[in-house]
Amino acid sequence: MEILNTNIFPKGEKASADYFSGGTAWVHILKPNADELNCQIAHVTFEPGCRNNWHSHGGGQILIVTSGTGFYQDKGKPAQILSPEDTVNILPGIIHWHGAGPESEFTHIAINLNTQNGIVEWLKPVTDDEYNHL
């Protein structure tokens, strides 16, 4: 079955280069963290080679891949290849990164849970050496 590369959401705003490397990412907020539901939902688009810094979420996160090929990696573990329809459940406090493969744009929906415990703690960038040795 062929999966079409069609996104129903706009790319959104360019993400800060302070937290992404290897290219440009865009973030479109679908649900702001603005009420008693304590969650934030965003659609994130990475151009080929782009990835976010190592980081963690105080309340955990769920990623739902919508298009392209990408990677997810917990600190100290092998990277996982991600494809459309893959889901990643990230427990609170787990240090990780995610982003596009070297030759494919990559998009996912990011659901930040229990935001009363913190949305994100940004850490060091994923180095080219770390990325190129997956």
Side-chain angles (χ1 to χ4, degrees):
M1 178 172 116
E2 181 180 340
I3 297 175
L4 299 176
N5 186 7
T6 58
N7 287 310
I8 61 172
F9 304 112
K11 276 192 172 178
E13 302 294 321
K14 276 190 178 180
S16 172
D18 292 340
Y19 307 121
F20 292 80
S21 60
T24 303
W26 295 266
V27 178
H28 177 69
I29 299 295
L30 301 173
K31 192 252 177 241
N33 184 42
D35 57 28
E36 61 278 353
L37 292 177
N38 297 315
C39 77
Q40 179 188 59
I41 304 172
H43 185 258
V44 184
T45 302
F46 300 81
E47 70 180 14
C50 182
R51 66 270 186 184
N52 52 31
N53 289 6
W54 291 102
H55 63 284
S56 65
H57 303 277
Q61 185 180 58
I62 299 169
L63 302 177
I64 303 168
V65 179
T66 57
S67 70
T69 301
F71 296 105
Y72 169 83
Q73 184 176 23
D74 286 343
K75 191 79 168 171
K77 294 185 179 179
Q80 302 171 39
I81 297 173
L82 299 177
S83 301
E85 299 184 22
D86 285 345
T87 300
V88 181
N89 295 311
I90 306 162
L91 296 177
I94 297 295
I95 296 172
H96 66 281
W97 70 270
H98 33 100
E103 298 179 12
S104 174
E105 189 171 270
F106 175 67
T107 61
H108 64 56
I109 294 173
I111 304 168
N112 297 316
L113 306 161
N114 305 304
T115 55
Q116 72 275 14
N117 296 327
I119 295 177
V120 63
E121 180 182 350
W122 291 109
L123 304 168
K124 294 180 180 180
V126 174
T127 66
D128 288 342
D129 191 51
E130 289 172 312
Y131 181 80
N132 291 326
H133 287 93
L134 297 175

